[in-house]
Amino acid sequence: MIHKTLDLGKNNATLTTYILDFSDEMADMVSRKAILILPGGGYQFCSDREAEPIALAYNKSGFNAFILRYTCHEEGTFEDSLRDAKMALKMIRKHAKDWHVNDNHIAVIGFSAGGHLAAHLSTNGDDRPNACILGYPAILKEKTHWPYPTPTVDSVRPPTFLFHTDNDDVCPVGHSLYYANKCDQYDIPFELHIFQDGPHGLSLGTPAVANKRNGYVNDRFQAWFELSLNWLSHLFG
């Protein structure tokens, strides 16, 4: 595995690679699907619970994974965070051959504030990911009481997979419902999964990431990961 952390040159932003080794015994994997991971943390920090555990889970399923630790807002602005995300996507595309990445099969996944950033990466600029996965994203400015802009959805936005819990009291499920409605309005392929129960910030919903907090091990919520794999397989082939 190529595992290294690359400095993006400003505000301590970094891109960490989890690139699976190439083997002649798996010659059909010379060009792999890739996923860029944007952890949550309210733009105050990048959550470890939504970083390496997510990368390793996708690695296990044959993806090359990349974790972006973007600018947090004690160090910069939202525009700096979006710059980091664009730079990370550009870097993955630039090194696609060396990193055994199919540059037509690059997805982004973001959680909470990272979902907000992933949505902006997918709706802003000419170079956008080929698929977008949003986990309990913070989308609507007026519903989160924070000064970050609501993403503008347009017809060239990539296909989107959303998952949320209906009783999330930090980022209400209305954020995902709004975004799904916008995808429908612009005929953008999407898939939406709403689980009945679970607090905000579940990550994988497994004991390894629960940090011994009540309610953070959620067997039913864990299904989002396999559902996302099936969706990506349907999308990318």
Side-chain angles (χ1 to χ4, degrees):
M1 176 182 285
I2 301 174
H3 178 56
K4 59 184 177 181
T5 298
L6 306 170
D7 185 353
L8 296 188
K10 188 177 180 182
N11 301 331
N12 298 314
T14 61
L15 183 69
T16 301
T17 69
Y18 293 75
I19 300 168
L20 297 170
D21 292 333
F22 172 71
S23 168
D24 288 333
E25 295 180 30
M26 298 180 287
D28 59 335
M29 293 296 182
V30 66
S31 182
R32 295 178 183 269
K33 303 167 190 173
I35 190 155
L36 173 61
I37 300 161
L38 310 183
Y43 287 116
Q44 304 306 307
F45 66 102
C46 289
S47 172
D48 291 336
R49 297 175 54 255
E50 295 160 345
E52 186 169 81
I54 307 299
L56 295 178
Y58 280 105
N59 272 166
K60 185 178 178 180
S61 298
F63 283 73
N64 286 327
F66 302 85
I67 297 171
L68 173 64
R69 295 188 179 276
Y70 48 85
T71 297
C72 292
H73 293 176
E74 288 185 356
E75 300 174 316
T77 65
F78 168 72
E79 287 72 24
D80 291 318
S81 304
L82 184 56
R83 176 201 68 90
D84 297 339
K86 289 180 177 181
M87 183 178 295
L89 179 60
K90 183 178 181 180
M91 186 176 293
I92 295 168
R93 292 204 192 280
K94 179 180 178 180
H95 294 284
K97 184 175 180 180
D98 295 336
W99 289 349
H100 299 290
V101 166
N102 183 331
D103 64 1
N104 290 316
H105 291 168
I106 300 174
V108 63
I109 182 170
F111 299 84
S112 191
H116 177 264
L117 184 57
H120 274 279
L121 179 64
S122 300
T123 60
N124 190 299
D126 296 328
D127 187 11
R128 305 184 185 191
N130 305 106
C132 179
I133 301 173
L134 303 178
Y136 39 88
I139 297 295
L140 297 170
K141 179 178 179 179
E142 62 270 22
K143 288 184 177 292
T144 50
H145 307 292
W146 61 357
Y148 310 128
T150 297
T152 302
V153 179
D154 61 27
S155 59
V156 297
R157 198 223 183 294
T160 301
F161 179 100
L162 302 104
F163 61 97
H164 220 118
T165 56
D166 76 339
N167 57 351
D168 187 324
D169 62 355
V170 176
C171 292
V173 69
H175 291 255
S176 286
L177 294 174
Y178 167 88
Y179 205 79
N181 184 62
K182 284 294 184 181
C183 288
D184 182 56
Q185 179 181 337
Y186 285 96
D187 294 321
I188 297 161
F190 74 95
E191 188 162 314
L192 170 64
H193 296 275
I194 301 173
F195 299 91
Q196 183 172 333
D197 291 308
H200 185 72
L202 281 170
S203 180
L204 292 167
T206 60
V209 295
N211 201 26
K212 298 182 179 179
R213 290 187 289 182
N214 290 335
Y216 280 77
V217 177
N218 188 319
D219 294 344
R220 295 182 66 248
F221 181 81
Q222 293 170 19
W224 79 259
F225 181 75
E226 289 297 330
L227 289 167
S228 79
L229 290 177
N230 291 338
W231 179 77
L232 287 166
S233 179
H234 173 73
L235 185 65
F236 290 159

